[in-house]
Amino acid sequence: MAVLEILKVGAPALRTVARPVTEAELATPEFQAFVDDLVDTMHAANGAGLAATQVGVGLRVCAVHVRNNPRYPYKPDFPLTILVNPELVVLPEADGSYAIASIYEGCLSVPDLRGRVDRNLRVRVTAVDRYGAPRIIEAAGLTAGTLQHELDHLDGLLFLDRVTDATTLSNWANFDAHHRAGFVAEAQAINARFGVAAGGSAASD
Ligand code: NI
């Protein structure tokens, strides 16, 4: 096990477009050890996800895992998932419209800051897992936003780039004091709309 350093905003590696992982690389012990380290680092930081670019590795790999997450207690649980070379498409609702919501996001690479980002609420991600097995994940609600956030990292994007109203930026103490309650109500409405329950306790950050 190794916990890697998580790069912070301003680090050039966070702004690089990661390259696909080759089949030959997938089979190497070095790659498998890196995936283990990525997961360990995500868990050590209480992250809901972590992309390789955040630890300075320019490969299209990210990990996602939400379970009683203290940083995001309103997020539905999502099993530990490794996405290699993921591709994301936005899916329409039954009536052909596209569901979008304004969601407060944070990022381990952007310490002590949250802000509102518009995210699509229904997506399909096609990828392979750490061993090269095909994965197709259809996600709705807040989980769809989490996946978009992680895949953005692989293209050198941070949630900051998608904040359209900079007045929503808030440090965590002020998020807790002034914005958390309102947003939790919004998040619960999103969870209810997509038929999922928040996985976490009501623990605060
Ligand atoms: Ni992030």
Side-chain angles (χ1 to χ4, degrees):
M1 159 166 180
V3 172
L4 308 172
E5 180 192 0
I6 298 175
L7 301 177
K8 302 302 191 296
V9 59
L14 285 173
R15 296 309 197 167
T16 62
V17 177
R19 69 161 175 84
V21 182
T22 66
E23 270 188 55
E25 281 174 316
L26 273 179
T28 63
E30 290 78 13
F31 180 81
Q32 294 300 321
F34 169 67
V35 171
D36 288 339
D37 291 349
L38 188 70
V39 171
D40 289 343
T41 305
M42 172 179 68
H43 285 155
N46 283 327
L50 189 66
T53 48
Q54 292 180 271
V55 293
V57 173
L59 296 174
R60 301 189 78 80
V61 185
C62 60
V64 180
H65 190 195
V66 182
R67 193 172 70 87
N68 295 339
N69 189 295
R71 279 168 59 86
Y72 305 100
Y74 43 80
K75 283 194 183 199
D77 283 352
F78 188 77
L80 175 61
T81 302
I82 307 299
L83 299 170
V84 178
N85 300 338
E87 306 272 353
L88 184 145
V89 295
V90 176
L91 300 178
E93 300 306 295
D95 66 1
S97 67
Y98 288 88
I100 295 172
S102 167
I103 296 170
Y104 267 102
E105 293 195 4
C107 180
L108 295 172
S109 293
V110 185
D112 199 25
L113 198 64
R114 281 184 163 179
R116 281 190 180 273
V117 179
D118 284 340
R119 292 294 190 188
N120 292 290
L121 295 180
R122 196 179 292 279
V123 300
R124 177 192 297 131
V125 173
T126 306
V128 296
D129 70 12
R130 62 187 292 174
Y131 305 111
R135 291 290 313 264
I136 297 176
I137 295 166
E138 292 196 357
L142 297 177
T143 301
T146 301
L147 291 169
Q148 287 160 85
H149 178 115
E150 295 312 321
L151 268 63
D152 272 354
H153 276 300
L154 303 181
D155 289 325
L157 296 172
L158 300 175
F159 83 89
L160 297 172
D161 307 331
R162 298 198 185 276
V163 172
T164 53
D165 180 356
T167 68
T168 66
L169 292 171
S170 173
N171 71 12
W172 283 53
N174 283 326
F175 177 80
D176 285 344
H178 304 292
H179 308 293
R180 173 180 288 280
F183 179 63
V184 167
E186 294 173 34
Q188 288 168 342
I190 293 170
N191 290 339
R193 175 178 172 187
F194 290 95
V196 291
S201 67
S204 60
D205 293 301

